[in-house]
Protein backbone atom coordinates (compact mmCIF):
# COMPACT_ATOMS: atom_id res chain seq x y z
CA UNK A 1 0.00 0.00 0.00
CA UNK A 2 1.40 3.36 -1.01
CA UNK A 3 1.89 6.13 1.54
CA UNK A 4 -0.90 8.26 0.15
CA UNK A 5 -3.43 5.40 0.21
CA UNK A 6 -2.35 4.48 3.77
CA UNK A 7 -2.98 8.00 5.02
CA UNK A 8 -6.41 8.08 3.37
CA UNK A 9 -7.37 4.72 4.88
CA UNK A 10 -5.99 5.60 8.35
CA UNK A 11 -8.16 8.68 8.47
CA UNK A 12 -11.33 6.88 7.43
CA UNK A 13 -14.15 5.82 9.71
CA UNK A 14 -13.49 2.19 8.82
CA UNK A 15 -9.99 2.35 10.37
CA UNK A 16 -11.30 3.92 13.57
CA UNK A 17 -13.93 1.19 13.90
CA UNK A 18 -11.31 -1.50 13.40
CA UNK A 19 -8.99 0.08 15.96
CA UNK A 20 -11.77 0.26 18.58
CA UNK A 21 -12.81 -3.35 17.96
CA UNK A 22 -9.15 -4.53 18.34
CA UNK A 23 -8.41 -2.62 21.56
CA UNK A 24 -10.44 -4.81 23.94
CA UNK A 25 -9.08 -8.20 22.75
CA UNK A 26 -5.51 -6.83 22.78
CA UNK A 27 -5.86 -5.61 26.36
CA UNK A 28 -7.32 -8.96 27.37
CA UNK A 29 -4.45 -10.81 25.67
CA UNK A 30 -1.87 -8.67 27.46
CA UNK A 31 -3.52 -9.41 30.80
CA UNK A 32 -3.58 -13.14 30.09
CA UNK A 33 0.10 -13.15 29.06
CA UNK A 34 1.02 -11.21 32.20
CA UNK A 35 -0.73 -13.73 34.43
CA UNK A 36 0.84 -16.67 32.58
CA UNK A 37 4.34 -15.22 32.90
CA UNK A 38 3.80 -14.48 36.60
CA UNK A 39 2.59 -18.04 37.30
CA UNK A 40 5.50 -19.49 35.32
CA UNK A 41 8.06 -17.44 37.23
CA UNK A 42 6.51 -18.44 40.55
CA UNK A 43 6.75 -22.10 39.62
CA UNK A 44 10.35 -21.68 38.48
CA UNK A 45 11.24 -20.01 41.75
CA UNK A 46 9.50 -22.75 43.71
CA UNK A 47 11.37 -25.41 41.75
CA UNK A 48 14.72 -23.73 42.40
CA UNK A 49 13.95 -23.51 46.11
CA UNK A 50 12.89 -27.16 46.18
CA UNK A 51 16.08 -28.27 44.46
CA UNK A 52 18.52 -26.04 46.32
CA UNK A 53 17.08 -25.46 49.78
CA UNK A 54 14.33 -27.67 51.27
CA UNK A 55 11.07 -25.82 51.75
CA UNK A 56 10.60 -27.21 55.26
CA UNK A 57 13.75 -28.16 57.14
CA UNK A 58 13.83 -29.59 60.66
CA UNK A 59 14.55 -26.76 63.05
CA UNK A 60 17.92 -28.28 63.91
CA UNK A 61 19.05 -28.07 60.28
CA UNK A 62 17.23 -24.95 59.16
CA UNK A 63 19.43 -22.43 57.35
CA UNK A 64 18.55 -19.59 55.03
CA UNK A 65 20.21 -19.56 51.64
CA UNK A 66 21.58 -16.03 51.70
CA UNK A 67 23.64 -15.11 54.75
CA UNK A 68 22.22 -18.24 56.39
CA UNK A 69 22.66 -19.64 59.86
CA UNK A 70 22.93 -23.10 61.27
CA UNK A 71 22.23 -24.74 64.59
CA UNK A 72 25.41 -25.49 66.54
CA UNK A 73 23.83 -27.93 68.98
CA UNK A 74 23.49 -31.60 67.94
CA UNK A 75 20.48 -32.28 65.73
CA UNK A 76 17.28 -32.73 67.68
CA UNK A 77 18.97 -32.33 71.07
CA UNK A 78 19.87 -29.69 73.60
CA UNK A 79 23.60 -29.26 74.01
CA UNK A 80 24.78 -30.63 77.31
CA UNK A 81 25.95 -27.85 79.69
CA UNK A 82 29.00 -28.65 81.78
CA UNK A 83 29.01 -27.69 85.44
CA UNK A 84 32.16 -28.85 87.20
CA UNK A 85 31.48 -31.01 90.24
CA UNK A 86 32.89 -29.86 93.62
CA UNK A 87 35.29 -32.81 93.78
CA UNK A 88 36.82 -31.71 90.45
CA UNK A 89 37.05 -28.01 91.22
CA UNK A 90 40.68 -28.16 92.40
CA UNK A 91 41.70 -29.84 89.14
CA UNK A 92 39.57 -27.44 87.04
CA UNK A 93 41.04 -24.37 88.74
CA UNK A 94 44.56 -25.69 88.18
CA UNK A 95 43.90 -26.39 84.48
CA UNK A 96 42.30 -22.99 83.86
CA UNK A 97 45.24 -21.36 85.59
CA UNK A 98 47.68 -23.19 83.30
CA UNK A 99 45.67 -22.16 80.26
CA UNK A 100 45.75 -18.57 81.43
CA UNK A 101 49.52 -18.78 81.90
CA UNK A 102 49.90 -20.59 78.52
CA UNK A 103 51.77 -23.42 80.21
CA UNK A 104 49.35 -26.14 79.10
CA UNK A 105 49.87 -27.27 75.53
CA UNK A 106 52.36 -28.76 73.10
CA UNK A 107 55.55 -26.74 72.81
CA UNK A 108 58.59 -26.96 70.58
CA UNK A 109 62.15 -25.68 70.56
CA UNK A 110 64.21 -23.70 73.00
CA UNK A 111 61.90 -20.67 72.92
CA UNK A 112 58.85 -22.78 73.71
CA UNK A 113 56.58 -19.82 74.23
CA UNK A 114 56.67 -16.26 72.99
CA UNK A 115 56.22 -13.08 75.02
CA UNK A 116 56.55 -12.41 78.70
CA UNK A 117 55.30 -14.73 81.41
CA UNK A 118 51.77 -14.24 82.62
CA UNK A 119 51.29 -13.69 86.34
CA UNK A 120 49.74 -16.46 88.41
CA UNK A 121 46.34 -15.97 89.98
CA UNK A 122 46.04 -16.02 93.79
CA UNK A 123 44.81 -19.32 95.18
CA UNK A 124 41.00 -19.71 95.05
CA UNK A 125 40.63 -16.42 93.14
CA UNK A 126 39.28 -18.19 90.05
CA UNK A 127 36.97 -20.38 92.12
CA UNK A 128 35.45 -17.38 93.89
CA UNK A 129 34.97 -15.44 90.64
CA UNK A 130 33.40 -18.46 88.95
CA UNK A 131 30.98 -18.95 91.84
CA UNK A 132 30.00 -15.29 91.64
CA UNK A 133 29.13 -15.67 87.96
CA UNK A 134 27.28 -18.92 88.67
CA UNK A 135 25.13 -17.06 91.18
CA UNK A 136 24.35 -14.41 88.57
CA UNK A 137 23.24 -17.16 86.18
CA UNK A 138 21.08 -18.79 88.86
CA UNK A 139 19.45 -15.49 89.73
CA UNK A 140 18.69 -14.78 86.08
CA UNK A 141 21.03 -11.81 85.75
CA UNK A 142 22.96 -13.64 83.03
CA UNK A 143 21.11 -15.62 80.40
CA UNK A 144 21.58 -16.91 76.87
CA UNK A 145 18.02 -17.43 75.54
CA UNK A 146 19.15 -19.71 72.71
CA UNK A 147 22.06 -21.28 74.59
CA UNK A 148 22.14 -25.04 74.20
CA UNK A 149 19.86 -25.01 71.15
CA UNK A 150 21.07 -22.59 68.47
CA UNK A 151 24.53 -22.17 69.98
CA UNK A 152 26.72 -23.21 72.92
CA UNK A 153 25.15 -23.22 76.41
CA UNK A 154 26.00 -20.87 79.24
CA UNK A 155 28.03 -23.08 81.58
CA UNK A 156 31.37 -23.31 83.39
CA UNK A 157 33.31 -23.53 80.13
CA UNK A 158 31.76 -20.32 78.76
CA UNK A 159 32.21 -18.54 82.09
CA UNK A 160 35.85 -19.65 82.44
CA UNK A 161 36.69 -18.41 78.95
CA UNK A 162 35.42 -14.96 79.83
CA UNK A 163 37.03 -14.89 83.24
CA UNK A 164 40.39 -15.50 81.57
CA UNK A 165 39.70 -12.70 79.08
CA UNK A 166 38.77 -10.31 81.91
CA UNK A 167 41.58 -11.43 84.23
CA UNK A 168 39.01 -12.46 86.87
CA UNK A 169 37.20 -9.12 86.89
CA UNK A 170 33.66 -10.39 87.44
CA UNK A 171 31.81 -7.33 86.12
CA UNK A 172 33.90 -7.36 82.95
CA UNK A 173 33.29 -11.10 82.47
CA UNK A 174 29.54 -10.58 83.00
CA UNK A 175 29.55 -7.85 80.36
CA UNK A 176 31.24 -10.23 77.92
CA UNK A 177 28.53 -12.81 78.60
CA UNK A 178 25.87 -10.22 77.73
CA UNK A 179 27.79 -9.17 74.59
CA UNK A 180 27.75 -12.75 73.37
CA UNK A 181 23.99 -13.00 73.95
CA UNK A 182 23.50 -9.88 71.81
CA UNK A 183 25.82 -11.27 69.14
CA UNK A 184 23.92 -14.56 68.93
CA UNK A 185 20.57 -12.76 68.82
CA UNK A 186 21.81 -11.22 65.57
CA UNK A 187 23.29 -14.38 64.03
CA UNK A 188 20.43 -16.66 65.20
CA UNK A 189 22.82 -19.56 65.48
CA UNK A 190 26.03 -20.16 63.61
CA UNK A 191 27.13 -18.29 60.50
CA UNK A 192 26.61 -20.48 57.45
CA UNK A 193 29.64 -20.96 55.18
CA UNK A 194 29.56 -19.21 51.82
CA UNK A 195 30.68 -20.85 48.61
CA UNK A 196 33.22 -18.10 48.02
CA UNK A 197 34.87 -18.75 51.38
CA UNK A 198 34.96 -22.51 50.91
CA UNK A 199 36.49 -22.14 47.45
CA UNK A 200 39.15 -19.73 48.71
CA UNK A 201 41.07 -22.52 50.45
CA UNK A 202 42.26 -20.17 53.20
CA UNK A 203 41.13 -22.25 56.20
CA UNK A 204 41.07 -26.03 56.68
CA UNK A 205 40.41 -28.27 59.69
CA UNK A 206 41.81 -31.67 58.71
CA UNK A 207 42.59 -33.35 62.05
CA UNK A 208 43.19 -33.04 65.80
CA UNK A 209 46.42 -32.71 67.75
CA UNK A 210 47.67 -35.05 70.48
CA UNK A 211 45.55 -33.25 73.10
CA UNK A 212 42.36 -33.69 71.07
CA UNK A 213 42.22 -30.06 69.91
CA UNK A 214 41.08 -29.44 66.31
CA UNK A 215 43.90 -28.16 64.09
CA UNK A 216 42.94 -25.09 62.03
CA UNK A 217 45.37 -24.59 59.15
CA UNK A 218 45.46 -21.07 57.72
CA UNK A 219 47.16 -20.60 54.34
CA UNK A 220 47.75 -16.85 53.85
CA UNK A 221 49.00 -17.39 50.29
CA UNK A 222 45.38 -17.92 49.20
CA UNK A 223 44.02 -14.85 50.99
CA UNK A 224 43.12 -11.85 48.84
CA UNK A 225 42.80 -8.56 50.76
CA UNK A 226 39.97 -6.15 50.05
CA UNK A 227 36.86 -8.10 51.08
CA UNK A 228 36.65 -7.80 54.85
CA UNK A 229 33.04 -9.03 54.99
CA UNK A 230 34.01 -12.30 53.33
CA UNK A 231 36.90 -12.72 55.74
CA UNK A 232 34.81 -11.90 58.82
CA UNK A 233 32.03 -14.30 57.87
CA UNK A 234 34.58 -16.96 56.94
CA UNK A 235 36.32 -16.58 60.29
CA UNK A 236 33.01 -16.78 62.13
CA UNK A 237 31.73 -19.80 60.27
CA UNK A 238 34.99 -21.67 60.89
CA UNK A 239 34.92 -20.94 64.63
CA UNK A 240 31.21 -21.74 64.81
CA UNK A 241 31.90 -25.11 63.22
CA UNK A 242 34.53 -25.76 65.91
CA UNK A 243 31.89 -24.99 68.53
CA UNK A 244 29.50 -27.41 66.83
CA UNK A 245 32.20 -30.12 66.87
CA UNK A 246 32.80 -29.57 70.58
CA UNK A 247 29.09 -29.76 71.39
CA UNK A 248 28.83 -32.97 69.40
CA UNK A 249 31.78 -34.44 71.30
CA UNK A 250 30.02 -33.73 74.60
CA UNK A 251 27.44 -36.36 73.73
CA UNK A 252 30.16 -39.02 73.55
CA UNK A 253 32.23 -37.90 76.53
CA UNK A 254 31.32 -38.90 80.06
CA UNK A 255 32.36 -35.53 81.41
CA UNK A 256 34.70 -32.63 80.85
CA UNK A 257 37.77 -33.35 78.72
CA UNK A 258 40.91 -33.96 80.78
CA UNK A 259 43.25 -32.69 78.04
CA UNK A 260 41.10 -29.95 76.48
CA UNK A 261 38.76 -28.76 79.25
CA UNK A 262 37.83 -25.42 77.61
CA UNK A 263 37.23 -26.96 74.17
CA UNK A 264 39.98 -24.97 72.48
CA UNK A 265 41.66 -25.38 69.10
CA UNK A 266 45.24 -25.10 67.87
CA UNK A 267 45.99 -22.91 64.86
CA UNK A 268 48.69 -23.37 62.23
CA UNK A 269 49.65 -20.36 60.12
CA UNK A 270 51.57 -21.73 57.14
CA UNK A 271 53.36 -18.84 55.42
CA UNK A 272 54.81 -21.06 52.70
CA UNK A 273 54.38 -19.19 49.39
CA UNK A 274 52.90 -16.07 51.01
CA UNK A 275 54.01 -12.63 49.80
CA UNK A 276 53.42 -8.97 50.57
CA UNK A 277 50.31 -9.06 48.36
CA UNK A 278 48.65 -11.35 50.93
CA UNK A 279 49.24 -8.95 53.83
CA UNK A 280 45.93 -7.60 55.17
CA UNK A 281 45.99 -5.40 58.27
CA UNK A 282 42.23 -4.98 58.19
CA UNK A 283 41.78 -8.76 58.43
CA UNK A 284 44.34 -8.85 61.25
CA UNK A 285 42.40 -6.29 63.29
CA UNK A 286 39.16 -8.15 62.53
CA UNK A 287 40.70 -11.36 63.88
CA UNK A 288 41.75 -9.66 67.12
CA UNK A 289 38.30 -8.12 67.59
CA UNK A 290 36.37 -11.34 66.97
CA UNK A 291 38.65 -13.26 69.31
CA UNK A 292 38.29 -10.70 72.09
CA UNK A 293 34.54 -10.07 71.87
CA UNK A 294 32.79 -13.03 70.26
CA UNK A 295 35.10 -16.04 70.55
CA UNK A 296 37.26 -15.43 73.66
CA UNK A 297 39.97 -17.94 74.54
CA UNK A 298 39.05 -20.54 71.96
CA UNK A 299 42.54 -20.55 70.47
CA UNK A 300 45.02 -22.45 72.63
CA UNK A 301 48.23 -22.11 70.61
CA UNK A 302 49.37 -20.64 67.28
CA UNK A 303 52.14 -22.36 65.33
CA UNK A 304 53.56 -19.98 62.72
CA UNK A 305 55.31 -22.16 60.14
CA UNK A 306 57.85 -21.40 57.43
CA UNK A 307 58.89 -18.13 59.01
CA UNK A 308 61.18 -16.11 56.76
CA UNK A 309 62.94 -12.83 57.51
CA UNK A 310 60.03 -10.92 55.96
CA UNK A 311 57.51 -12.82 58.07
CA UNK A 312 59.54 -12.16 61.22
CA UNK A 313 59.55 -8.44 60.45
CA UNK A 314 55.80 -8.41 59.84
CA UNK A 315 55.11 -10.52 62.91
CA UNK A 316 57.25 -8.22 65.06
CA UNK A 317 55.11 -5.27 64.00
CA UNK A 318 51.83 -7.17 64.43
CA UNK A 319 52.70 -8.59 67.86
CA UNK A 320 52.81 -5.10 69.35
CA UNK A 321 49.05 -4.91 68.84
CA UNK A 322 48.40 -8.28 70.47
CA UNK A 323 47.42 -9.01 74.03
CA UNK A 324 50.42 -10.40 75.98
CA UNK A 325 48.61 -13.75 76.29
CA UNK A 326 48.22 -14.01 72.52
CA UNK A 327 51.90 -13.22 72.01
CA UNK A 328 52.78 -15.97 74.44
CA UNK A 329 50.65 -18.45 72.51
CA UNK A 330 52.60 -17.87 69.28
CA UNK A 331 55.48 -20.15 68.31
CA UNK A 332 57.51 -19.11 65.25
CA UNK A 333 58.96 -22.09 63.40
CA UNK A 334 61.63 -21.84 60.70
CA UNK A 335 61.25 -23.89 57.49
CA UNK A 336 63.94 -26.37 58.56
CA UNK A 337 62.08 -27.14 61.82
CA UNK A 338 58.53 -27.52 60.46
CA UNK A 339 58.49 -31.31 60.26
CA UNK A 340 60.02 -31.85 63.71
CA UNK A 341 57.59 -29.37 65.26
CA UNK A 342 54.48 -30.80 63.65
CA UNK A 343 55.52 -34.36 64.54
CA UNK A 344 55.26 -33.33 68.19
CA UNK A 345 51.90 -31.65 67.65
CA UNK A 346 50.04 -34.35 65.70
CA UNK A 347 50.16 -38.04 64.97
CA UNK A 348 52.17 -38.54 61.73
CA UNK A 349 49.29 -40.51 60.23
CA UNK A 350 47.12 -37.38 60.36
CA UNK A 351 49.76 -35.00 59.00
CA UNK A 352 50.17 -34.24 55.29
CA UNK A 353 53.52 -35.04 53.65
CA UNK A 354 54.29 -31.30 53.59
CA UNK A 355 54.60 -31.50 57.39
CA UNK A 356 56.45 -34.80 57.46
CA UNK A 357 53.40 -37.02 57.89
CA UNK A 358 51.88 -39.88 55.94
CA UNK A 359 48.37 -38.48 55.59
CA UNK A 360 46.70 -36.91 52.58
CA UNK A 361 48.37 -33.92 50.95
CA UNK A 362 46.92 -30.44 51.28
CA UNK A 363 45.33 -29.58 47.96
CA UNK A 364 45.42 -26.19 46.26
CA UNK A 365 41.92 -24.67 45.91
CA UNK A 366 41.95 -24.96 42.12
CA UNK A 367 42.78 -28.69 42.36
CA UNK A 368 40.17 -29.61 44.97
CA UNK A 369 37.89 -32.49 43.99
CA UNK A 370 35.98 -33.02 47.25
CA UNK A 371 34.62 -30.94 50.09
CA UNK A 372 37.30 -32.52 52.27
CA UNK A 373 39.92 -31.08 49.91
CA UNK A 374 38.36 -27.64 50.26
CA UNK A 375 37.90 -27.38 54.03
CA UNK A 376 39.46 -30.44 55.65
CA UNK A 377 37.88 -33.66 56.87
CA UNK A 378 36.60 -32.41 60.23
CA UNK A 379 35.04 -29.24 58.84
CA UNK A 380 33.45 -31.09 55.91
CA UNK A 381 31.90 -33.61 58.29
CA UNK A 382 30.54 -30.82 60.50
CA UNK A 383 29.00 -28.87 57.62
CA UNK A 384 27.45 -32.05 56.23
CA UNK A 385 25.88 -33.04 59.56
CA UNK A 386 24.44 -29.54 60.00
CA UNK A 387 23.07 -29.49 56.44
CA UNK A 388 24.77 -26.20 55.56
CA UNK A 389 27.02 -27.17 52.67
CA UNK A 390 26.44 -24.37 50.13
CA UNK A 391 25.29 -25.07 46.59
CA UNK A 392 28.24 -25.31 44.22
CA UNK A 393 30.68 -26.76 46.76
CA UNK A 394 32.58 -29.88 45.81
CA UNK A 395 30.85 -33.16 46.68
CA UNK A 396 31.79 -35.24 49.66
CA UNK A 397 34.27 -37.94 48.74
CA UNK A 398 31.71 -40.70 49.22
CA UNK A 399 29.47 -39.05 46.63
CA UNK A 400 31.96 -39.36 43.78
CA UNK A 401 31.43 -41.95 41.09
CA UNK A 402 33.82 -44.93 41.03
CA UNK A 403 35.86 -43.40 38.21
CA UNK A 404 36.18 -40.11 40.02
CA UNK A 405 37.15 -41.89 43.21
CA UNK A 406 39.98 -43.67 41.49
CA UNK A 407 41.23 -40.43 40.00
CA UNK A 408 41.12 -38.71 43.37
CA UNK A 409 43.30 -41.42 44.89
CA UNK A 410 46.31 -40.37 42.84
CA UNK A 411 47.55 -37.93 45.48
CA UNK A 412 47.37 -40.44 48.36
CA UNK A 413 50.49 -41.92 49.88
CA UNK A 414 50.97 -45.72 50.19
CA UNK A 415 50.55 -45.53 53.97
CA UNK A 416 47.24 -43.72 53.50
CA UNK A 417 46.03 -46.46 51.18
CA UNK A 418 46.78 -48.98 53.91
CA UNK A 419 44.38 -47.16 56.17
CA UNK A 420 41.73 -47.09 53.47
CA UNK A 421 41.15 -50.81 53.73
CA UNK A 422 40.92 -50.71 57.55
CA UNK A 423 37.76 -50.71 59.66
CA UNK A 424 37.78 -46.91 59.71
CA UNK A 425 36.48 -46.56 56.15
CA UNK A 426 32.78 -46.14 55.47
CA UNK A 427 32.59 -46.05 51.70
CA UNK A 428 34.18 -47.54 48.62
CA UNK A 429 35.51 -44.15 47.47
CA UNK A 430 39.21 -43.66 48.28
CA UNK A 431 38.12 -44.52 51.80
CA UNK A 432 39.50 -41.61 53.75
CA UNK A 433 36.27 -40.96 55.66
CA UNK A 434 36.28 -42.32 59.17
CA UNK A 435 33.34 -43.84 60.96
CA UNK A 436 31.21 -41.32 62.73
CA UNK A 437 30.49 -39.16 59.68
CA UNK A 438 26.74 -38.95 59.36
CA UNK A 439 25.23 -40.01 56.01
CA UNK A 440 24.33 -37.01 53.85
CA UNK A 441 20.88 -35.50 54.13
CA UNK A 442 18.13 -34.81 51.67
CA UNK A 443 18.88 -35.46 48.04
CA UNK A 444 22.53 -36.42 48.59
CA UNK A 445 23.24 -39.88 47.23
CA UNK A 446 23.99 -42.44 49.94
CA UNK A 447 26.41 -45.31 49.36
CA UNK A 448 24.98 -48.78 49.21
CA UNK A 449 25.36 -50.96 52.30
CA UNK A 450 27.37 -53.49 50.35
CA UNK A 451 29.93 -50.88 49.35
CA UNK A 452 30.46 -49.36 52.77
CA UNK A 453 33.87 -50.21 54.19
CA UNK A 454 35.04 -51.63 50.87
CA UNK A 455 37.79 -50.50 48.55
CA UNK A 456 38.86 -51.91 45.27
CA UNK A 457 41.79 -54.36 45.64
CA UNK A 458 43.08 -53.00 42.34
CA UNK A 459 43.39 -49.51 43.82
CA UNK A 460 45.26 -50.83 46.87
CA UNK A 461 47.56 -52.94 44.68
CA UNK A 462 48.42 -49.97 42.45
CA UNK A 463 49.49 -47.75 45.34
CA UNK A 464 51.40 -50.42 47.20
CA UNK A 465 53.44 -51.00 44.07
Amino acid sequence: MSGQRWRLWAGSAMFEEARQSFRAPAALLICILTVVIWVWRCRQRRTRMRNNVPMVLPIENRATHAGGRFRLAPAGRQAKPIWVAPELMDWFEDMVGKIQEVSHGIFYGEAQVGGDEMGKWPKNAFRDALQHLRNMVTQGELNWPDGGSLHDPLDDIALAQRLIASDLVVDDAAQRVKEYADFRSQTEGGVMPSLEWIESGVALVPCRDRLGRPIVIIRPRYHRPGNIELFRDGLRTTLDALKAMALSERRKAKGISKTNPLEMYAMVWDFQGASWSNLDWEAFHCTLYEGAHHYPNMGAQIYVLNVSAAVRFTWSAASRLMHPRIRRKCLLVAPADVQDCMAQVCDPGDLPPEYGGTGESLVAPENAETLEDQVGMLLASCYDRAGVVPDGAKPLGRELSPGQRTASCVSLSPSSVGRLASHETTDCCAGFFKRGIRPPCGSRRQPSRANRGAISPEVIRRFRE
Side-chain angles (χ1 to χ4, degrees):
M1 182 183 293
S2 65
Q4 184 177 2
R5 291 183 178 180
W6 165 255
R7 286 193 297 271
L8 289 175
W9 185 78
S12 65
M14 185 183 298
F15 176 81
E16 182 64 22
E17 183 179 353
R19 189 169 65 85
Q20 292 293 340
S21 61
F22 180 78
R23 178 179 297 173
L28 179 61
L29 180 61
I30 291 173
C31 291
I32 293 175
L33 287 175
T34 302
V35 172
V36 169
I37 292 173
W38 179 77
V39 172
W40 176 78
R41 293 189 65 179
C42 287
R43 289 188 175 182
Q44 287 292 101
R45 180 173 177 269
R46 190 176 304 167
T47 301
R48 286 196 301 270
M49 294 177 66
R50 187 180 297 117
N51 291 338
N52 295 335
V53 180
M55 293 295 290
V56 179
L57 284 172
I59 185 64
E60 63 270 14
N61 282 340
R62 185 168 298 167
T64 58
H65 202 52
R69 308 289 181 261
F70 71 92
R71 176 185 170 122
L72 303 185
R77 298 171 182 262
Q78 285 286 112
K80 177 183 177 183
I82 292 181
W83 301 102
V84 179
E87 60 270 19
L88 294 177
M89 186 53 68
D90 287 339
W91 166 83
F92 186 59
E93 183 176 26
D94 180 63
M95 287 297 294
V96 173
K98 290 180 178 178
I99 292 173
Q100 185 272 146
E101 300 164 12
V102 196
S103 61
H104 173 71
I106 302 174
F107 305 99
Y108 173 81
E110 296 180 1
Q112 293 191 341
V113 291
D116 300 327
E117 290 188 4
M118 303 296 298
K120 292 181 178 293
W121 288 334
K123 186 174 178 59
N124 295 330
F126 169 76
R127 185 183 312 216
D128 295 341
L130 180 64
Q131 187 58 52
H132 193 158
L133 287 179
R134 281 179 169 182
N135 294 338
M136 296 177 72
V137 173
T138 303
Q139 296 167 7
E141 297 179 44
L142 298 178
N143 181 36
W144 287 351
D146 296 321
S149 57
L150 293 182
H151 59 84
D152 44 326
L154 181 57
D155 57 9
D156 279 347
I157 291 179
L159 297 178
Q161 289 172 334
R162 286 152 181 85
L163 281 173
I164 294 175
S166 64
D167 199 20
L168 299 187
V169 178
V170 173
D171 290 341
D172 187 10
Q175 182 59 37
R176 293 171 186 267
V177 171
K178 295 175 182 177
E179 274 188 14
Y180 190 73
D182 294 339
F183 170 65
R184 285 306 178 190
S185 69
Q186 298 172 11
T187 64
E188 299 178 355
V191 177
M192 195 170 101
S194 68
L195 178 62
E196 187 176 0
W197 175 254
I198 284 181
E199 290 181 337
S200 71
V202 172
L204 304 93
V205 186
C207 60
R208 298 179 183 272
D209 68 7
R210 295 182 186 273
L211 297 179
R213 304 175 301 191
I215 292 287
V216 181
I217 298 179
I218 303 295
R219 301 184 289 181
R221 62 184 176 274
Y222 297 123
H223 174 65
R224 298 293 177 264
N227 190 345
I228 191 60
E229 292 300 326
L230 173 66
F231 179 82
R232 180 183 293 109
D233 287 346
L235 176 64
R236 288 176 175 177
T237 190
T238 302
L239 298 182
D240 283 343
L242 297 180
K243 284 181 176 287
M245 292 181 209
L247 296 180
S248 179
E249 287 296 315
R250 291 188 187 187
R251 295 174 55 190
K252 307 172 187 177
K254 295 181 180 179
I256 191 169
S257 170
K258 297 300 185 292
T259 58
N260 189 22
L262 297 190
E263 300 175 341
M264 306 175 83
Y265 64 88
M267 180 172 285
V268 172
W269 283 77
D270 186 355
F271 279 92
Q272 179 70 37
S275 65
W276 291 109
S277 64
N278 304 117
L279 185 62
D280 190 346
W281 287 109
E282 192 175 14
F284 173 73
H285 286 286
C286 173
T287 302
L288 294 182
Y289 180 86
E290 292 295 325
H293 294 272
H294 300 149
Y295 304 92
N297 288 290
M298 283 187 62
Q301 291 179 275
I302 304 172
Y303 303 93
V304 187
L305 307 185
N306 295 300
V307 176
S308 62
V311 173
R312 285 186 181 276
F313 174 80
T314 305
W315 196 266
S316 176
S319 63
R320 299 171 188 171
L321 304 175
M322 297 178 183
H323 187 280
R325 187 178 297 108
I326 298 178
R327 287 200 301 269
R328 191 166 172 80
K329 292 178 180 181
C330 298
L331 286 78
L332 274 60
V333 183
D337 299 326
V338 166
Q339 294 191 3
D340 288 343
C341 174
M342 295 306 295
Q344 293 190 29
V345 175
C346 295
D347 185 277
D350 294 327
L351 287 174
E354 297 91 327
Y355 300 152
T358 57
E360 287 77 38
S361 296
L362 299 181
V363 179
E366 62 272 16
N367 297 329
E369 295 183 350
T370 66
L371 184 61
E372 289 82 356
D373 290 340
Q374 291 181 310
V375 297
M377 185 182 296
L378 296 184
L379 212 54
S381 174
C382 177
Y383 288 155
D384 181 48
R385 284 197 305 267
V388 295
V389 179
D391 296 328
K394 298 294 182 180
L396 287 163
R398 61 170 172 263
E399 297 175 353
L400 297 177
S401 65
Q404 291 172 312
R405 293 168 187 161
T406 302
S408 67
C409 287
V410 174
S411 63
L412 300 185
S413 61
S415 59
S416 299
V417 175
R419 295 200 306 276
L420 302 186
S422 72
H423 66 281
E424 293 182 335
T425 58
T426 61
D427 191 22
C428 59
C429 66
F432 45 82
F433 307 101
K434 298 182 179 180
R435 289 195 184 276
I437 296 180
R438 179 179 171 181
C441 308
S443 63
R444 295 185 182 277
R445 183 178 56 80
Q446 300 188 20
S448 65
R449 187 174 298 275
N451 285 337
R452 293 177 186 172
I455 184 170
S456 169
E458 175 64 19
V459 173
I460 298 177
R461 182 187 63 78
R462 283 173 51 202
F463 285 95
R464 282 179 174 166
E465 291 174 352

